[in-house]
Amino acid sequence: LSELEALMERMKRLQEDKEDEEASQEEMATRFEKEKKESLLVISGGICAFPMQFSFDDEIMSTDVSRYVEDPGFGYKDFARRGEDHLPTFRAQDYTWENHGFSLVNRLYSDIGHLLDEKFRMVYNLTYNTMATHEDVDTTTLRRALFNYVHCMYGIRYDDYDYGEVNQLLERSLKVYIKTVTCYPERTTKRMYDSYWRQFKHSEKVHVNLLLMEARMQAELLYALRAITRHLT
């Protein structure tokens, strides 16, 4: 099978498995913890702790970002140290964008919540119902896996989501790309972009970037707004 056909086959199999039997809450929690720990091993810039068939090291170039930012040392850090047994988890059910963050940010800055919510929904729901040359494809499962994997990297868990889907749908090269774009965008190279979903159209891969950026923004807002809520109460 080609990369595309294999991905579509996994999507179909996941849908069939979900209809036949749903995983228990305990199983889903275990799968989240596994995915969360493995995300710490994914190193941006093409180096990865997983065995891989390629490396992007030769294309990584030192980028002088100081001309664009006031504090070039400010950047992403993993939410937990590697090797820790109990990694912190932000349970989305305890503080969601829809039920908590949206109303608070609207109260702090009138109407901004509506604008942000529209932006999140538009990017998340955007689809041509295609996958490369295939038409009439429901890409919901794949879009959800991309969005939730970014939140997983930030320690955010959705109790009603089976993180086994992430491991089934997102291959290792794509996970490296996701972490690089989301956490260290200045390290992204064209070779990394070209290395995953080779049969997909550029518009579809650009949509992946949009999903990653909106997922990161929502994750950051959830942490910030939860902290503000705790301060106010």
Side-chain angles (χ1 to χ4, degrees), residues 117-156:
D117 190 63
E118 182 181 0
K119 186 161 70 86
F120 292 146
R121 291 179 185 274
M122 180 182 69
V123 172
Y124 186 86
N125 295 321
L126 180 65
T127 179
Y128 300 135
N129 292 314
T130 63
M131 287 181 67
T133 57
H134 296 264
E135 298 181 351
D136 299 321
V137 180
D138 184 357
T139 61
T140 303
T141 304
L142 188 56
R143 285 180 277 125
R144 184 171 58 234
L146 288 164
F147 197 92
N148 285 357
Y149 181 63
V150 173
H151 280 204
C152 179
M153 289 195 305
Y154 281 81
I156 299 174

Side-chain angles (χ1 to χ4, degrees), residues 21-168:
E21 182 180 358
E22 290 190 4
S24 67
Q25 282 294 317
E26 183 178 355
E27 288 174 321
M28 290 198 291
T30 300
R31 291 170 184 174
F32 168 77
E33 290 298 327
K34 179 182 178 181
E35 198 64 48
K36 182 172 63 171
K37 289 180 180 179
E38 287 186 354
S39 73
L40 297 176
L41 300 176
V42 177
I43 310 298
S44 71
I47 310 165
C48 184
F50 299 129
M52 304 178 72
Q53 299 298 316
F54 53 86
S55 173
F56 307 120
D57 295 349
D58 55 338
E59 290 218 0
I60 299 173
M61 302 176 65
S62 58
T63 305
D64 181 12
V65 297
S66 60
R67 71 186 75 175
Y68 307 114
V69 296
E70 295 180 359
D71 182 8
F74 181 82
Y76 170 86
K77 290 185 178 180
D78 283 321
F79 63 91
R81 295 179 181 178
R82 295 176 197 172
E84 289 185 356
D85 293 329
H86 302 289
L87 304 182
T89 296
F90 183 137
R91 295 186 67 224
Q93 277 66 21
D94 296 334
Y95 198 93
T96 65
W97 166 254
E98 293 80 6
N99 297 330
H100 305 91
F102 172 80
S103 58
L104 175 59
V105 79
N106 249 357
R107 183 155 60 104
L108 297 173
Y109 190 171
S110 180
D111 291 334
I112 192 66
H114 294 286
L115 296 174
L116 288 170
D117 190 63
E118 182 181 0
K119 186 161 70 86
F120 292 146
R121 291 179 185 274
M122 180 182 69
V123 172
Y124 186 86
N125 295 321
L126 180 65
T127 179
Y128 300 135
N129 292 314
T130 63
M131 287 181 67
T133 57
H134 296 264
E135 298 181 351
D136 299 321
V137 180
D138 184 357
T139 61
T140 303
T141 304
L142 188 56
R143 285 180 277 125
R144 184 171 58 234
L146 288 164
F147 197 92
N148 285 357
Y149 181 63
V150 173
H151 280 204
C152 179
M153 289 195 305
Y154 281 81
I156 299 174
R157 180 196 169 202
Y158 294 88
D159 290 347
D160 58 350
Y161 181 68
D162 183 358
Y163 287 85
E165 293 186 7
V166 169
N167 216 32
Q168 288 286 320

